[in-house]
Amino acid sequence: MPKDVIELEKRVLIPNYARYPVVFERGKGCWLWDSRGKKYLDFVSGLGVNALGYSHPAILRALRQQAGKMIHCSNLFYHPYQGPLAAALAKVTGLERAFFCNSGTEAVEAALKLARAHAGKISASKFEVVALENSFHGRTIGALSATGQESYRKAFEPLVPGFRFVRFNDCRDLEAAVNENTCAVILEPIQGEGGIFEVSREFMETAARRARQHGALLILDEIQSGLGRTGDYLASQAYGVQPDIVVLAKPLGGGLPLGAILVREQIAGDLSAGMHGTTFGGGPLACRVALEFLSVLKKERLLPHVRKVGQYFRDQLAQLQRKHPMIRQVRGRGLMLAVELDRHSRPLTAQALERGLIINSTHETTLRFLPPYVVDRKLVEMACDILEELFTEAEQSGAPGAR
Ligand code: PLP
């Protein structure tokens, strides 16, 4: 049966994914089962989406209740959940207004459009966006134009004009790039797809100050780092800066596609009726489930848990680093962690999968870990035992393959 699934896909889908040959059928907590009944410990959470793991009872209850009432009604009308969801997000972030869409990349598009609309009222030449090298903001043309990685961009050029890139954590480069023509500075507080690199406090403060000096908006892309992943509602809360726009998605919809921008009251009116919209975005089902997700975060005290278990995981990885010279660095915060290897990481990801552990490689030499927030010490130890076996075998098998 898995062979049939895979062969059918190979014939009928556009080949834009390099999938691993596993067909997943169900999940519970931090565990997934494939079509042969094999069990896997999931340390990727569907790329940061399944923050509560699989089949959380509160999420299932909300889904069932709302699906039986109304799944979709369009943004022509009100429904009972968009307002409360915006209010709940405002309460934990301090950003008073929201717009809901269906994915991260779409949320980035909304943020960029708002920034251009805002700046367009000041001057027609104020349209430049300053972004970071090695960033990832999504794959639609606008978000891709803000993405500072050649490999994602190359095939689709020319992209949207007006985007410029500064070196990561290089304050001078940033100072020089932001000027009166800048409408926005966009950055991820912790670059996720780029390999888990944290923006320095100085760089974040420089971004906020330069943006303010030139009347540009500071857009923080917290699609991966936000909503508890680092142990705070926003990773940027640890820096003490006040962004104009925060972009969210991944865990927000409890597994359903839901993205959002949260913005300051003063700029919300720059997107007036008809300037932006979406058919599906912010539908009753996704918003109802998102409210449940936020409520579980609070009820189960998951933020302090993420901080604690994340620190424990990081300490375990640091211990592995002391034993294994192939680990060059351990990076990250909360449950957004990575190890940098002295060789290609993808073979290890495949070997981990064979042993029932799901991890992810970003870039050539980085292993990334985004476990569900409900992970515990015991599961962290299980994952680290498998990693230890893999590192030992890789080192025994000889020299690094990558360099
Ligand atoms: N921004 C960041 C920081 C991301 O990590 C991602 C996805 O990985 C995106 C944007 C794009 O989100 P989506 O895949 O939901 O469009």
Side-chain angles (χ1 to χ4, degrees):
M1 202 262 270
K3 213 167 139 224
D4 295 347
V5 170
I6 292 168
E7 275 169 13
L8 176 63
E9 283 212 2
K10 287 200 164 144
R11 270 186 284 123
V12 299
L13 290 190
I14 290 175
N16 61 317
Y17 294 113
R19 299 195 211 278
Y20 293 97
V22 180
V23 179
F24 282 121
E25 285 191 342
R26 67 192 171 89
K28 188 148 185 59
C30 297
W31 296 93
L32 272 173
W33 282 263
D34 74 9
S35 51
R36 298 175 198 274
K38 180 175 161 185
K39 192 177 169 187
Y40 299 77
L41 179 57
D42 182 5
F43 267 47
V44 180
S45 314
L47 290 171
V49 169
N50 301 317
L52 304 182
Y54 298 86
S55 309
H56 191 287
I59 296 293
L60 291 185
R61 206 175 316 117
L63 257 172
R64 287 190 180 121
Q65 276 174 3
Q66 187 54 36
K69 281 190 184 172
M70 179 173 63
I71 293 172
H72 173 77
C73 67
S74 90
N75 284 301
L76 287 173
F77 308 102
Y78 294 92
H79 66 71
Y81 305 111
Q82 254 193 51
L85 180 57
L89 290 167
K91 197 165 162 204
V92 295
T93 64
L95 290 158
E96 300 96 335
R97 297 266 180 171
F99 163 79
F100 294 106
C101 53
N102 311 284
S103 66
T105 199
E106 256 183 271
V108 171
E109 296 292 331
L112 295 172
K113 282 180 74 176
L114 175 49
R116 285 214 167 157
H118 176 76
K121 289 187 187 165
I122 302 166
S123 154
S125 59
K126 195 172 176 58
F127 59 82
E128 284 187 5
V129 177
V130 173
L132 270 57
E133 289 181 359
N134 195 46
S135 58
F136 185 82
H137 296 292
R139 296 175 184 265
T140 49
I141 289 282
L144 187 59
S145 302
T147 291
Q149 297 190 56
E150 194 54 23
S151 58
Y152 292 114
R153 302 165 57 90
K154 210 165 48 205
F156 308 104
E157 285 170 341
L159 297 174
V160 180
F163 286 76
R164 52 199 291 188
F165 294 93
V166 298
R167 284 187 292 276
F168 186 76
N169 275 347
D170 185 331
C171 294
R172 276 205 191 168
D173 206 17
L174 177 62
E175 295 255 8
V178 180
N179 59 40
E180 69 281 6
N181 293 328
T182 309
C183 73
V185 177
I186 181 167
L187 60 90
E188 301 154 85
I190 305 177
Q191 289 189 336
E193 199 285 330
I196 315 294
F197 289 100
E198 287 188 59
V199 158
S200 70
R201 180 169 290 273
E202 192 192 355
F203 191 83
M204 183 68 95
E205 285 168 359
T206 305
R209 176 173 47 76
R210 286 298 278 176
R212 203 171 41 246
Q213 273 170 356
H214 288 288
L217 303 183
L218 178 62
I219 304 173
L220 297 183
D221 180 344
E222 297 240 24
I223 287 167
Q224 194 165 138
S225 61
L227 294 172
R229 172 69 45 205
T230 65
D232 287 308
Y233 277 105
L234 300 175
S236 52
Q237 284 166 337
Y239 295 84
V241 295
Q242 186 55 53
D244 300 291
I245 305 180
V246 163
V247 192
L248 299 172
K250 290 201 186 277
L252 177 60
L256 295 181
L258 182 64
I261 59 169
L262 308 180
V263 312
R264 287 194 296 115
E265 178 72 45
Q266 293 86 334
I267 57 169
D270 290 320
L271 284 183
S272 58
M275 282 177 78
H276 192 60
T278 153
T279 300
F280 291 109
L285 185 64
C287 287
R288 169 80 183 78
V289 173
L291 274 165
E292 199 59 43
F293 164 65
L294 291 178
S295 138
V296 171
L297 277 190
K298 205 164 155 202
K299 267 195 225 145
E300 297 189 8
R301 298 187 42 76
L302 285 173
L303 266 49
H305 173 74
V306 165
R307 260 175 265 152
K308 244 197 259 163
V309 75
Q311 187 57 50
Y312 181 69
F313 188 15
R314 208 191 139 118
D315 292 344
Q316 297 296 301
L317 292 172
Q319 250 185 47
L320 287 178
Q321 185 188 11
R322 284 192 283 278
K323 287 195 231 165
H324 295 281
M326 70 180 277
I327 302 181
R328 294 214 157 136
Q329 195 183 33
V330 176
R331 292 193 292 266
R333 211 176 339 138
L335 288 172
M336 188 171 181
L337 297 171
V339 297
E340 185 67 37
L341 304 178
D342 68 354
R343 63 196 74 196
H344 284 300
S345 53
R346 205 172 153 92
L348 270 97
T349 309
Q351 289 156 16
L353 195 64
E354 267 171 38
R355 282 168 214 220
L357 174 67
I358 304 173
I359 53 175
N360 171 248
S361 2
T362 63
H363 287 220
E364 281 198 338
T365 53
T366 311
L367 289 178
R368 175 173 54 165
F369 309 102
L370 302 168
Y373 304 171
V374 292
V375 75
D376 60 21
R377 279 177 172 232
K378 210 173 101 232
L379 296 178
V380 165
E381 284 160 13
M382 282 173 80
C384 287
D385 286 348
I386 296 175
L387 289 172
E388 163 124 60
E389 282 171 25
L390 296 177
F391 295 141
T392 306
E393 285 167 23
E395 281 170 350
Q396 280 165 0
S397 78
R403 34 188 91 178

